[in-house]
Amino acid sequence: MSTEGGPAVTSRMARLFDVRYVIGGLLGFYGVVLVIRGLLDGAEQLAQAAGFAVNLWTGIALVVVAVAFLAWASLRPLGIEVDEEELAGPSA
Amino acid sequence: MLRLDLGWLDYTLLAVYFVVVLGIGVVARRAVGTSADFLLAGRSLPAWVTGLAFVAANLGATEIIGMAANGAQYGVATVHYYWIGAIPAMVFLGIVMMPFYYRSKVRSVPEFLKLRYNNQTHVLNAVVFAVASVLIAGVNLYALAIVLQALLGWPLWAGILASAAVVLIYIGAGGLGSAIYGEVLQFFIILAGLIPLAIVAVRSVGGFAELGRRVEASALGPNGLHAWQGTGVGDVSNPIGANWIGIVLGLGFVLSFGYWTTNFAEIQRALSAKDRSASQRTPLIAAFPKIFIPAVTIIPGLVALVAIPNFGNDDTGGLEYNDAIPALMGQLLPQGVLGVAVTGLFASFMAGVAANVSSLNTVVTYDLVQPYLARGRSDAYYLTMGRAVTAGGVIIAVGTAFLAAGFNNIMTYLQSLFGIFNAPIFATFILGMFWKRTTGWGGFWGLLSGVVAGTAVFVLSKAGVLTFGSDIEVTFYQAGAAFFVDAVVTVLVSMFGRAPARSQLAGIVYGVAGADGVVPTLKQPREAVWWRRPVLLGGIALALTVVLNILFA
């Protein structure tokens, strides 16, 4: 009774969409929006955040993370997981 | 005074997030054809996905807001909740316990008790878990509603209902799959809001050195900057109010091992990994972000303490400790990143409730309905049941949300619940996995008496019969009592009973060969690359933790 729902049944969940593109897309969108907002920020916004261009830098960081995820997802697409053929442990 | 001035840009960022998360639910729904799709998400996910979901499931709004509150109230010693209270238990889970869970092929943590002990133990644990899940989901709902009320001006009831509706749609459609994928996304959004907040907060008080100087001059005093100083037995001067024995045994051993190694809301993420090695790596990968999360919760707490006048004195009109992060967000973040931070708070709330609800529906469907209440029905019946339980659980959690209103510090309330419900279970599991002599009834009476003992300490301290140094110390002792009583009763009852038949232990107890001839041991999986070796990953996490403890002693 505890074996149903094995890999064959639900791997389609994993293949249906690659969550790395979702992460990259959303963070990338946030990043671009914040960079634009940051470039438009004036003295008022700067003063509120203790003199730190927080929109600009957060935006840049988000874009970097987003590019990393998109690059990872396109360089190692799902379904060609040659590197994931792991040797099972002696008791697995 | 907490009200945030959200602009159209902030609302746009928030709205985009909801569209993406509901989109995940809709897409995941197309993958749901059976109850196993809905409740288990298959054993198909890579370790980094389950690992981030593992840490995000714990990164609820209560955790973030509560830990910032603890940071302001107890100072740097709050790191014990991470470095003593989480990392060792996560490493232990990954290296020692996960192999037993994964190879037993159970669909839930209570199901392991059904295999190892008897139906009574199974039902007891499943019912206790279901009740605790609903209560904790309620606390999470309440926490978000407070934030919504303070920041956006929504009435409490509207906040609770609206938030519950979002979770219901999103988990009700895609089940565990959409919960896990949502959690991975939430992990990044939460950090994208909290990291800039922490950086700006430190700059706003003039840097780390100035922050330290002002914390020492605050109500916390010099020990507010230290994790271990002032925790000597009989001479406790650290704001955390407990001595090092209480911290190490109560928080570090009993409370945290009970939570991290047996809480199905967490284990469920590791069980959905694609193979045994990935399931072992799930909590180990999660340990690394966990080590550094205190930087973005405790630091804002300390800044709030020194920068906001009268902070923590809500009796005299000051802000509550729980307001630390929302207050700093409103004060320091300009529009744009403010929208990301507000979205992060929403995301963290959803991570917590989604984890509770997606584990609740599995336990109720597979551990209570299928084996006992409605046996041998079609799979479509159990799929519908899983969805119905999701809806029912959310509705009861809404009721529970109002129960949480009576406590000032949400985290202590949560810890009280964990102390009662989780601490004894660890004793039952560890004895069951490693001691062949443990009997079914030994497990049952041990578990029951453990829960009763934990409840008794909690009630006696509330009634003033037992007195402790702080609310936190109460949770340490009640967890300790629950664990100790469980272990002693389990051993005693087992000794007087007949030893369990070997067939009942096959494949799930250390050293007893299963039907497939494989003997469960602690041999670790052979991995070609170093960053996939569980023992090495766990060792690095522990070493980092030791170094950080020395630095902040």
Side-chain angles (χ1 to χ4, degrees):
Chain A
M1 62 170 286
S2 14
T3 50
E4 57 199 62
V9 182
T10 39
S11 57
R12 61 180 168 171
M13 174 72 210
R15 306 204 186 292
L16 198 57
F17 63 97
D18 188 339
V19 73
R20 291 173 297 181
Y21 284 110
V22 183
I23 296 169
L26 185 66
L27 295 188
F29 173 75
Y30 278 9
V32 169
V33 167
L34 288 192
V35 166
I36 295 170
R37 177 67 252 189
L39 292 173
L40 300 173
D41 277 350
E44 186 196 337
Q45 283 85 1
L46 215 59
Q48 186 182 10
F52 182 57
V54 64
N55 274 332
L56 185 64
W57 286 110
T58 307
I60 291 172
L62 285 173
V63 169
V64 169
V65 175
V67 168
F69 266 98
L70 295 176
W72 180 23
S74 52
L75 292 177
R76 295 278 186 90
L78 286 180
I80 324 177
E81 294 188 74
V82 281
D83 57 327
E84 296 287 357
E85 282 303 318
E86 296 167 350
L87 296 165
S91 58
Chain B
M1 87 173 268
L2 270 180
R3 188 70 52 86
L4 295 183
D5 184 21
L6 258 65
W8 63 269
L9 182 64
D10 302 315
Y11 279 114
T12 307
L13 294 176
L14 187 60
V16 166
Y17 177 75
F18 277 112
V19 169
V20 171
V21 167
L22 292 175
I24 290 179
V26 170
V27 177
R29 187 188 163 93
R30 287 173 26 209
V32 172
T34 67
S35 69
D37 292 338
F38 184 72
L39 297 170
L40 304 173
R43 289 177 156 191
S44 58
L45 300 172
W48 72 269
V49 169
T50 55
L52 293 182
F54 188 97
V55 74
N58 172 256
L59 205 57
T62 47
E63 165 82 8
I64 290 168
I65 290 175
M67 281 303 170
N70 282 343
Q73 195 171 359
Y74 304 113
V76 168
T78 305
V79 295
H80 292 316
Y81 277 108
Y82 297 86
W83 298 340
I84 285 288
I87 306 302
M90 291 165 90
V91 171
F92 185 84
L93 170 67
I95 291 174
V96 177
M97 288 176 75
M98 218 49 232
F100 287 85
Y101 279 128
Y102 199 84
R103 80 176 307 283
S104 72
K105 294 193 166 60
V106 291
R107 299 169 301 182
S108 72
V109 166
E111 194 166 81
F112 188 87
L113 294 179
K114 182 179 167 70
L115 291 183
R116 176 62 183 85
Y117 293 110
N118 53 22
N119 290 350
Q120 288 81 358
T121 318
H122 178 220
V123 171
L124 175 66
N125 181 236
V127 169
V128 165
F129 178 83
V131 172
S133 292
V134 171
L135 291 181
I136 293 165
V139 173
N140 272 307
L141 272 177
Y142 172 69
L144 188 81
I146 298 176
V147 174
L148 287 177
Q149 185 183 37
L151 301 188
L152 309 179
W154 295 22
L156 214 54
W157 63 268
I160 290 175
L161 291 182
S163 331
V166 172
V167 171
L168 185 56
I169 294 171
Y170 149 68
I171 305 294
L176 181 63
S178 61
I180 286 181
Y181 279 177
E183 280 158 7
V184 174
L185 197 58
Q186 285 152 7
F187 173 80
F188 290 99
I189 302 296
I190 293 165
L191 290 184
L194 285 182
I195 292 174
L197 180 67
I199 293 172
V200 174
V202 170
R203 285 183 64 111
S204 74
V205 292
F208 277 108
E210 179 66 11
L211 175 62
R213 204 186 55 71
R214 288 173 65 177
V215 169
E216 285 184 330
S218 74
L220 288 176
N223 282 336
L225 287 181
H226 294 282
W228 293 104
Q229 266 179 37
T231 60
V233 178
D235 180 29
V236 174
S237 57
N238 193 290
I240 199 153
N243 62 45
W244 66 270
I245 297 178
I247 293 169
V248 171
L249 291 182
L251 177 62
F253 181 60
V254 178
L255 210 52
S256 86
F257 276 71
Y259 174 76
W260 291 103
T261 68
T262 64
N263 185 339
F264 179 52
E266 296 293 338
I267 309 292
Q268 188 176 30
R269 273 81 198 140
L271 285 177
S272 63
K274 62 184 172 152
D275 55 31
R276 178 186 144 180
S277 169
S279 81
Q280 286 194 255
R281 274 179 281 133
T282 297
L284 301 175
I285 290 171
F288 288 92
K290 187 73 183 169
I291 290 174
F292 296 103
I293 287 171
V296 295
T297 56
I298 297 175
I299 290 173
L302 292 174
V303 171
L305 177 73
V306 302
I308 299 174
N310 208 18
F311 188 76
N313 299 317
D314 44 315
D315 307 336
T316 57
L319 290 175
E320 289 182 25
Y321 287 120
N322 281 328
D323 294 333
I325 283 190
L328 289 181
M329 273 167 45
Q331 221 168 60
L332 299 174
L333 297 184
Q335 288 180 7
V337 75
L338 177 64
V340 176
V342 170
T343 307
L345 271 188
F346 272 90
S348 74
F349 152 77
M350 297 219 286
V353 177
N356 292 325
V357 172
S358 61
S359 54
L360 171 79
N361 59 22
T362 306
V363 164
V364 173
T365 305
Y366 281 158
D367 290 295
L368 295 173
V369 174
Q370 196 183 45
Y372 305 113
L373 299 176
R375 259 181 284 186
R377 304 293 178 89
S378 69
D379 188 71
Y381 177 87
Y382 297 118
L383 175 58
T384 311
M385 180 57 68
R387 290 211 157 99
V389 173
T390 306
V394 170
I395 291 166
I396 299 172
V398 167
T400 317
F402 294 99
L403 197 123
F407 288 77
N408 179 38
N409 192 322
I410 293 171
M411 202 61 207
T412 306
Y413 174 70
L414 264 188
Q415 295 286 355
S416 302
L417 291 176
F418 293 152
I420 293 170
F421 295 128
N422 274 305
I425 304 173
F426 175 61
T428 304
F429 270 90
I430 209 73
L431 283 169
M433 284 175 178
F434 290 95
W435 195 42
K436 287 177 236 177
R437 190 66 181 73
T438 321
T439 64
W441 285 110
F444 176 79
W445 289 113
L447 196 54
L448 184 62
S449 55
V451 171
V452 171
T455 313
V457 172
F458 180 69
V459 170
L460 289 177
S461 75
K462 285 289 166 206
V465 179
L466 295 171
T467 49
F468 296 97
S470 66
D471 280 358
I472 283 189
E473 205 185 17
V474 178
T475 65
F476 294 174
Y477 278 91
Q478 104 202 358
F483 174 83
F484 183 75
V485 169
D486 182 323
V488 168
V489 171
T490 304
V491 169
L492 284 179
V493 174
S494 296
M495 298 297 277
F496 285 103
R498 191 190 312 185
R502 212 168 167 80
S503 60
Q504 219 192 331
L505 311 178
I508 53 174
V509 178
Y510 184 85
V512 182
D516 50 2
V518 178
V519 183
T521 60
L522 293 179
K523 280 210 194 90
Q524 299 297 315
R526 287 186 298 265
E527 290 289 354
V529 286
W530 64 268
W531 41 268
R532 284 208 194 114
R533 289 178 194 147
V535 174
L536 189 63
L537 281 176
I540 295 172
L542 286 179
L544 261 173
T545 311
V546 169
V547 170
L548 286 167
N549 264 299
I550 293 170
L551 288 177
F552 286 88

